[in-house]
Amino acid sequence: MKRELNINHLTRVEGHGAVNIVIENEMLKEIKLRFTEGPRFFEFITRERLYSEIPKIVSRICGICYVSHRLASSLAVEDAFGVKVTPEIELLRKLLVVGEYLESHALHLYFLALPDYMGYPSAIAMAKDYPNIVRRGFFIKEVGNRIMKLIGGKTVHGENILPGGFKSVPSVDDLKKVQEDLHRVLPEIKATISLFDSLDYPEFNDPHELQMCVEADDPLSFGDKVTLSDGTVFTKQEYELFVEEKVSDYSTAKCSTIKEKPFLIGPLARVNHYADRLLEGTKKQLFLLKNSFPSSNSLHANLARAIEILEFALRGIEITEVLINASPFKGEVPVAPKKGTGFGVKEAPRGTLYHRYSFDDTGRCVSANIITPTAQLQAVIERDLKSLVERSKEASDEELKKRAEMLIRAYDP
Amino acid sequence: MVKIGIMGLTGCSGCQCEILNCEEAIYRLIEKVEISYFPLAQDNNSFGEFEILFVEGSVTTEEDERKVKEGRERAKFLVAVGSCACYGGVQSQRNDEASLEEMLLAVYGRKELPVKVQKPRAVSEVVKVDYELPGCPLDKRQFVYAVASILNGVKPFFPKIPVCHECKLSETECLTLKGIPCQGPVTFAGCGAPCTASGVGCQGCRGNCDFPNFEEMVEILKKNGLSTGDAVKFLKVFRGYQSKEIKLSEGVVENEKGA
Ligand code: SF4
Ligand code: SF4
Ligand code: SF4
């Protein structure tokens, strides 16, 4: 008996995707996660452009995690030209990332994921019965937006984020406002953690053989190394030697593996890895939860997101304190082009992100390579879908589709 | 209830995110209209008749083309949102420099993909567009104003004056005078000039204002340190098919030599 399941248009995910599942005689025959997005040729359109144009162009890869793309490309440019930024610029960048995570994770949690668990088609529909819950999502998102607008210049695609730092920096008053906002959002974030801890996550424990994230002192830092859960640590220069990208014959996203295996990235991989290094304030919340970390249930990526925004908001408050004391400070260091190749690795909200550029001696881009979380997630989502289907053969088509969608949304590829 | 739709073609979803950032407006909107199609934010989507259909992204695949044509048939008003939909977006900036095959080979190492790919085009190059709200992303105040106007039977109107006008209004010191490359003089205002306010020259994300003088613009950019070639590339980033208007006379191009 042959059973075919097709989800032709995944909804409530950024981008366009489809899933095809074929089961024959109770055996899983085929699983394909297809990204059907049109290509945008970033590795080609950056060529011949001056280094100063690069962050602006690649920012447009994603409107939700543009800060990460802008920073990863700026880090790569600085790496190529041997530029070192000041500790204040580094802190301001981290504060910007706090904004990005608040907005991206809140969008994900409340607008993309939560409707599934609450039984609604969208957050907008949910707002009729749960106006305060939806407002909470909007509020956390708004605080993130304000930070991005303040530091970046616009909420989406802020042009003030450049190689070498920022053309202008926030005033002491602005930083105090950010601090107040972060204090005000803390109770909402804690409520978010409780809400996501209380949801009914289907039992789904198929340990991830390999997990990956940036290696640094804390999850907000931009390290130069990447760590794998099997103990391997590799440098950003070695990234392409570990993460192997293949062009897929059914998806427009490339598909990555490490040592021929799918690997987990993103909030769950990060919280699993950084659990011991979280701030005391975050750890205290973690003790109160009924779920625990490290976890191998991919759906717990949602709870991990809620924990990350608490961690980041707390770190954001510390950062504003340091910056207020350091004010006024310079936002920019000079950048002078030279021939060479630079690498930028960063944790984007959805997972590790990699940018590499080579420049000629006038600072014009000769070649580029960008490895996005989407490409790296394709294989691990397919692996998860496989194990989901194998466990839920009794489920009706309708039910199976629903579970598959929930799983994919937990990754938000 | 009248129905509205929000469709995403090939883009970054930044414009749809900006729409989702209009919290109060969304609450007011859903009292009056039904958002019957918005795949980024909901799963109960129906592709029926629309009073207004907003389209984000450029037409880059056969599927994009099919979707937007079908959308056009069902929509009373079709509004292109963002510079991808209005001009072709950043992805179309090298359309005149390379063939589709060349781009595919460079990025994917092959000439064909599992979807049928075309060179990125603006929505108006494929179907009739009633209104355009450019920007990368679009400006959310303009979105709210456009929706309110159309639903009330008023034509939304945005004068195509240059961004410089908004610097004057917000009393931002002119960057061009400080030697910083800025595209404000040839760019369609409406954003409130947030970039120049942070000290970064306008990057031209909203496309052409009326009667842009590119020749003069290139001369000014050259004074501020760019070569002719880099100035033209800088101008092209967001302008998509509008870049065709960047025609320079012999003299300007001549200067490039040795630059
Ligand atoms: S116009 Fe800009 S923000 Fe909007 S979809 Fe295109 S790239 Fe994204
Ligand atoms: S900064 Fe740019 S946009 Fe503003 S007035 Fe000067 S040239 Fe015009
Ligand atoms: S100032 Fe220029 S680049 Fe900035 S938002 Fe306005 S049009 Fe776009």
Side-chain angles (χ1 to χ4, degrees), chain A residues 95 150 170-183 320-321 323-325 327:
Chain A
L95 188 59
L150 176 69
S171 65
V172 169
D173 281 349
D174 286 332
L175 288 167
K176 284 192 178 146
K177 262 186 230 128
V178 171
Q179 206 173 41
E180 270 165 39
D181 273 348
L182 288 174
H183 276 296
T320 46
E321 200 54 48
L323 287 177
I324 288 168
N325 290 328
S327 288

Side-chain angles (χ1 to χ4, degrees), chain A residues 91 94-95 98 179 182 186 216-221 274 276-280 282 308-322:
Chain A
L91 281 177
K94 287 188 186 178
L95 188 59
V98 171
Q179 206 173 41
L182 288 174
L186 283 180
D217 296 338
D218 67 73
L220 247 181
S221 292
Y274 283 107
D276 298 337
R277 290 175 232 177
L278 296 172
L279 295 174
E280 281 311 312
T282 316
E308 279 194 324
I309 50 177
L310 176 62
E311 173 76 11
F312 282 26
L314 291 171
R315 287 191 188 266
I317 292 170
E318 289 179 357
I319 292 171
T320 46
E321 200 54 48
V322 182

Side-chain angles (χ1 to χ4, degrees), chain A residues 231-274:
Chain A
T232 316
V233 177
F234 57 86
T235 63
K236 59 185 178 185
Q237 288 83 355
E238 292 173 314
Y239 202 97
E240 286 173 62
L241 303 175
F242 277 85
V243 179
E244 233 191 303
E245 271 201 310
K246 275 207 193 81
V247 177
S248 160
D249 51 15
Y250 52 83
S251 172
T252 55
K254 294 178 185 173
C255 180
S256 318
T257 49
I258 296 181
K259 306 177 183 177
E260 291 174 12
K261 287 180 202 147
F263 55 99
L264 178 75
I265 54 167
L268 184 58
R270 288 191 296 253
V271 172
N272 283 345
H273 179 69
Y274 283 107

Side-chain angles (χ1 to χ4, degrees), chain B residues 162-168 172-177 180-185 193 196 200-202 217:
Chain B
V163 172
C164 296
H165 194 81
E166 304 202 299
C167 281
K168 302 289 169 296
T172 298
E173 241 184 292
C174 179
L175 300 173
T176 289
L177 298 176
I180 297 172
C182 176
Q183 299 186 29
T196 59
V200 182
C202 169
M217 187 75 255

